[in-house]
Amino acid sequence: MTTENNRNLKYYVALQGNQSPTSYIKLAKYIEQLGYDRIYVYDDLFYYPSIPILTLIAEHTKKIELGPCLLNSFYRHPAIITTSVLAINEIAPGRTVLGLGRGAFYDFLGMDSSEIGTREAYEENIKLVKHFLNGFKEEFNGKFLKANKNAFLRIKTADIPIITGTWNEDMAYIAGKYGNEIQIADVWDIEYLNRLQNSFLIGNCETGEKWLLKP
């Protein structure tokens, strides 16, 4: 929610995937009316997925930003992530953001939930999503993800801000290197917050691009 006295301060709302379509329409309209700046929809396992909910919200709002929080490459391939967010952007151009992260609840499915493995997969995910968004037509070879030269968009691309949700310094570094923002929730230790910011900025400096930090 943006105020006249502090235009740089923005407010976001995150919705869980457990409501009816009618409820999401009412909530989204009310949140936008209150002046909030962005709506996230969680993409937690065993809840309704975020993409159809965001499509519904996009159709019934006019100016508020919106995006998933957070997608990972184990539950959705980066090719599907990329085309899904571009489809939402067609409905809400210039308002769509993409939230990526390590993911969670892997233990529910007997999958590897180690910090190192999920972090490495996240890095490949954000790199491959950008690979697709940038229209590259060359091979991508990673430990977890691969794509040959035929793997490129057949639809128009867009400049989609990539937000990384994390409390992890190594993740913040990767986010600074390849993404646009980091979304940090419930961090009350200023010293640790500064460490996350520094990690993000170090990664950012390696790219030479100017991105944003969203504490």
Side-chain angles (χ1 to χ4, degrees):
M1 183 164 55
T2 306
T3 66
E4 291 296 324
N5 294 330
N6 195 339
R7 295 176 184 271
N8 294 323
L9 184 64
K10 295 186 176 183
Y11 293 85
Y12 305 155
V13 174
L15 303 177
Q16 184 56 276
N18 59 356
Q19 302 293 318
S20 68
T22 302
S23 294
Y24 284 116
I25 293 171
K26 291 180 179 179
L27 282 168
K29 288 182 175 180
Y30 187 57
I31 291 167
E32 183 173 61
Q33 182 181 358
L34 288 174
Y36 283 86
D37 299 284
R38 184 180 295 171
I39 296 175
Y40 285 118
V41 177
Y42 291 128
D43 201 73
D44 290 340
L45 197 64
F46 296 116
Y47 288 88
Y48 297 133
S50 62
I51 298 301
I53 298 170
L54 287 163
T55 302
L56 188 65
I57 291 174
E59 291 175 340
H60 291 88
T61 54
K62 297 178 179 179
K63 59 182 181 179
I64 195 167
E65 294 180 344
L66 62 156
C69 182
L70 303 156
L71 304 183
N72 67 80
S73 60
F74 290 112
Y75 298 154
R76 280 190 188 84
H77 192 278
I80 305 301
I81 292 174
T82 304
T83 53
S84 295
V85 76
L86 286 173
I88 296 171
N89 189 67
E90 282 293 297
I91 304 169
R95 298 194 285 130
T96 304
V97 302
L98 172 58
L100 298 178
R102 291 172 51 203
F105 310 114
Y106 296 124
D107 57 313
F108 289 7
L109 305 178
M111 300 170 64
D112 177 21
S113 60
S114 67
E115 191 277 330
I116 294 176
T118 53
R119 172 164 41 87
E120 290 176 345
Y122 154 79
E123 182 170 2
E124 289 187 18
N125 187 22
I126 191 172
K127 289 168 70 174
L128 188 51
V129 166
K130 290 194 68 174
H131 176 97
F132 292 139
L133 287 173
N134 288 331
F136 294 151
K137 298 180 180 180
E138 56 207 40
E139 291 186 355
F140 181 96
N141 289 297
K143 177 180 177 182
F144 299 93
L145 299 166
K146 300 183 186 299
N148 65 29
K149 62 182 181 181
N150 295 313
F152 61 88
L153 290 175
R154 271 69 171 182
I155 56 177
K156 69 178 182 180
T157 190
D159 184 12
I160 305 293
I162 299 178
I163 289 81
T164 298
T166 187
W167 296 271
N168 181 288
E169 291 178 67
D170 293 328
M171 287 282 290
Y173 165 79
I174 299 168
K177 192 172 183 179
Y178 300 109
N180 300 79
E181 305 174 11
I182 56 174
Q183 188 70 51
I184 308 165
D186 301 328
V187 177
W188 305 108
D189 186 329
I190 297 300
E191 180 181 349
Y192 189 64
L193 182 63
N194 288 335
R195 285 161 53 188
L196 289 173
Q197 176 173 305
N198 289 337
S199 296
F200 179 88
L201 293 175
I202 290 170
N204 173 243
C205 288
E206 293 190 6
T207 67
E209 299 180 88
K210 294 182 178 179
W211 301 129
L212 299 173
L213 177 72
K214 295 289 184 182

